[in-house]
Amino acid sequence: MEIRKVGVVGAGQMGSGIAHVFSLAGYEVLLNDISAEGLNKALSTIERNMERQVSRGKVSAEDKAAALGRIRTTQTLTDIARSDLVIEAATERETVKQAIFEDLVPHLLPHTILTSNTSSISITRLASRTDRPEKFMGFHFMNPVPVMQLVELIRGIATDDPTYQALLKVVQSLGKTAASAEDFPAFIVNRILVPMINEAVYTLYEGVGSVRSIDESMKLGANHPMGPLELADFIGLDTCLAIMNVLHDGLADTKYRPCPLLVKYVEAGWLGRKTARGFYDYRGETPVPTR
């Protein structure tokens, strides 16, 4: 099956990035969100990021214009059901994702492949709520999507090989690299990354180091490009907490217990960059540690 039309659910940071790379690769993209403001913001972000690529010589002005012309938007979820491939990139809450797929199923084309950009939720469980578990996969892009080269492909227990092969070709057409992961909590990247972030929060919670000393230690001592607390702010502390809860619930191992300090920050609404406060305060000219 040839995939030409792609529907993306959710116009946030991940959804807009996914629409960006698919349109540049020649796919027709229909971007859906419940918010008109969110869709307008996504289009502005995509245009600005493509212009950055043009200024760096990575994309021609003609290709940018053509790519932007391939993106359409809609606030009606069922509009995207006529796509060859649907990518759900809504908030990391299973009930929200299930509701999206249940609303889409009655309107889908027989050949449409369903995917979720979830970073941790069971693909098998999401697929079981649809009429096509054999045509359902995890399609996990890394953030920021236009920059990061990896895509995790996660097969549910019922996913068939033609679906996997079709998505493997799609990843290659985007100029990215696929990593195949089994359907266990948080897959590969977040199974390793987010517990490290959680341990960094415990290190802060227990007073072993300050925000700045923890981040500097990992940048200079382990050659990480970004410290773990700075990275947590970039990802979103609510997302980090959601992934830790999935790991803790799914694997029943106390080593995945979310740090109480992480919980406290999320309860305060200090979610990182997107709320201007997390482990750093971003409201001034330069980020300032909040502890």
Side-chain angles (χ1 to χ4, degrees):
M1 188 196 78
E2 187 176 2
I3 294 172
R4 294 180 179 176
K5 296 180 180 179
V6 178
V8 180
V9 184
Q13 193 172 34
M14 295 304 296
S16 62
I18 291 167
H20 175 142
V21 298
F22 270 90
S23 64
L24 269 180
Y27 295 90
E28 297 293 327
V29 178
L30 183 57
L31 181 60
N32 162 261
D33 200 275
I34 57 174
S35 162
E37 181 184 356
L39 288 169
N40 290 332
K41 182 180 178 182
L43 289 176
S44 297
T45 298
I46 292 167
E47 196 280 333
R48 185 172 64 251
N49 288 340
M50 283 189 185
E51 184 56 37
R52 187 178 295 120
Q53 289 177 304
V54 171
S55 68
R56 293 174 179 173
K58 295 183 177 181
V59 173
S60 70
E62 294 76 17
D63 286 346
K64 172 197 166 187
L68 290 173
R70 285 190 285 267
I71 302 174
R72 294 181 297 119
T73 62
T74 180
Q75 287 180 260
T76 305
L77 177 63
T78 52
D79 286 349
I80 73 164
R82 314 305 286 177
S83 305
D84 302 315
L85 168 65
V86 172
I87 305 168
E88 172 274 313
T91 187
E92 191 70 358
R93 291 208 304 272
E94 188 166 349
T95 53
V96 172
K97 295 177 185 297
Q98 286 175 345
I100 288 167
F101 290 122
E102 287 172 3
D103 287 347
L104 279 173
V105 160
H107 308 280
L108 294 170
L109 297 170
H111 69 269
T112 300
I113 294 174
L114 292 177
T115 68
S116 175
N117 184 58
T118 178
S119 54
S120 61
I121 296 168
S122 168
I123 299 304
T124 297
R125 199 161 58 236
L126 288 175
S128 72
R129 303 294 288 268
T130 75
D131 66 341
R132 59 195 67 203
E134 73 285 351
K135 286 186 169 65
F136 194 109
M137 278 197 71
F139 205 25
H140 182 213
F141 288 81
M142 305 295 124
N143 186 32
V145 181
V147 175
M148 301 296 279
Q149 289 300 302
L150 185 73
V151 181
E152 284 183 317
L153 292 182
I154 306 101
R155 278 180 276 206
I157 197 169
T159 307
D160 63 23
D161 194 58
T163 299
Y164 171 74
Q165 294 298 333
L167 290 187
L168 196 58
K169 288 180 181 177
V170 168
V171 174
Q172 291 167 348
S173 75
L174 299 176
K176 296 189 182 293
T177 300
S180 297
E182 293 300 316
D183 184 25
F184 290 101
F187 319 130
I188 296 172
V189 173
N190 285 323
R191 172 76 177 265
I192 298 167
L193 175 65
V194 179
M196 183 200 75
I197 289 172
N198 192 55
E199 193 62 29
V201 183
Y202 266 115
T203 306
L204 177 66
Y205 175 63
E206 294 168 2
V208 179
S210 66
V211 168
R212 199 176 297 282
S213 65
I214 291 166
D215 277 351
E216 287 299 310
S217 293
M218 293 307 293
K219 284 192 285 188
L220 301 179
N223 208 27
H224 289 193
M226 191 181 292
L229 301 176
E230 183 184 2
L231 180 57
D233 278 357
F234 180 76
I235 293 169
L237 303 194
D238 52 339
T239 300
C240 292
L241 179 58
I243 293 169
M244 287 307 302
N245 282 328
V246 166
L247 283 165
H248 193 235
D249 294 344
L251 298 172
D253 192 323
T254 55
K255 73 179 180 179
Y256 298 116
R257 183 171 66 96
C259 179
L261 183 60
L262 178 60
V263 175
K264 187 181 293 290
Y265 268 73
V266 173
E267 288 175 343
W270 291 18
L271 308 181
R273 286 183 176 271
K274 61 187 172 185
T275 58
R277 275 192 293 188
F279 292 112
Y280 292 86
D281 188 326
Y282 299 92
R283 293 174 297 174
E285 288 187 12
T286 57
V288 177
T290 54
R291 289 180 80 85

